[in-house]
Amino acid sequence: MTAEIAVRQPAGLSSFEPRDFDELARLSTMLADSALVPKPLQGRPADVAVVLLTGRELGIPPMTALRSINVIEGKPVMAADLIVALVKRRPDVCAYFSLVSTSDTEATYETLRVGDTEPTSITYTIEDARKAGLLGKKNWQTNPGPMCRARCSAALARAVYQDLVLNIYDTDEIERPEPRPKPRPETDTSRFSKPEPPHDPKTGEVLDAEPA
């Protein structure tokens, strides 16, 4: 089922929209301190601000944006069904956006943008996923059909409706960076090493220790 995005706020809640960058900074700092926002955003007010601004450009209310948009490698990303929802909520731009065929090995979507004379379709196959190095991921091993549909629909939305989805990627299309191991502190081992015995400077022979 395609997710629907609310674009209208209930009366009386408009004050929650920041009106300038000072209000945005204060709101972002407050939300970043909350345990109720997604963990990747906790303690990161700058990322919260990016999510809120991205949501505003897409017509998504602040709290919906925080739940729906992630920031990975500096890029805003969201689930494929939400990307498609951004397109389908605009019938003045999108005449239709339909799943043509699907299986565990491929998916085909087709859409017609208002004003275009011909529809545009995209097919994404399990072979495409293999070439992209995705088949080692657990979600591709357990749910290949839904993953093909997600990739296909997000790609089609970006290809035809760049102005509506702002080149946002599906969460599966952006790799999360691997955590970098902290460097191990260097240990001074000089105090554990034994002093070298005295040598004759001319011959290099080890000299006997002086008697006590």
Side-chain angles (χ1 to χ4, degrees), residues 77-153:
V77 299
M78 64 171 58
D81 58 347
L82 294 177
I83 295 176
V84 174
L86 290 174
V87 172
K88 297 181 74 172
R89 72 177 180 178
R90 290 290 304 274
D92 59 318
V93 179
C94 174
Y96 66 84
F97 196 111
S98 303
L99 176 63
V100 176
S101 63
T102 183
S103 69
D104 284 341
T105 59
E106 68 176 33
T108 299
Y109 274 85
E110 182 179 279
T111 188
L112 177 64
R113 181 173 180 129
V114 173
D116 289 353
T117 56
E118 298 290 337
T120 303
S121 64
I122 286 181
T123 298
Y124 196 90
T125 69
I126 203 73
E127 179 63 17
D128 294 326
R130 185 190 66 78
K131 291 178 180 179
L134 300 173
L135 297 186
K137 293 184 176 182
K138 185 177 180 181
N139 51 358
W140 277 93
Q141 294 174 355
T142 57
N143 298 292
M147 297 307 297
C148 282
R149 291 194 295 273
R151 280 270 173 153
C152 185
S153 60

Side-chain angles (χ1 to χ4, degrees), residues 26-108:
R26 290 197 296 270
L27 179 61
S28 299
T29 300
M30 180 189 70
L31 292 172
D33 287 338
S34 172
L36 298 180
V37 300
K39 284 188 177 181
L41 295 176
Q42 293 177 12
R44 305 178 71 91
D47 286 354
V48 171
V50 169
V51 168
L52 294 179
L53 287 173
T54 302
R56 185 166 188 169
E57 291 181 353
L58 294 170
I60 303 174
M63 294 309 297
T64 303
L66 288 174
R67 291 190 298 267
S68 306
I69 302 173
N70 296 315
V71 177
I72 302 177
E73 289 290 271
K75 300 180 180 66
V77 299
M78 64 171 58
D81 58 347
L82 294 177
I83 295 176
V84 174
L86 290 174
V87 172
K88 297 181 74 172
R89 72 177 180 178
R90 290 290 304 274
D92 59 318
V93 179
C94 174
Y96 66 84
F97 196 111
S98 303
L99 176 63
V100 176
S101 63
T102 183
S103 69
D104 284 341
T105 59
E106 68 176 33
T108 299

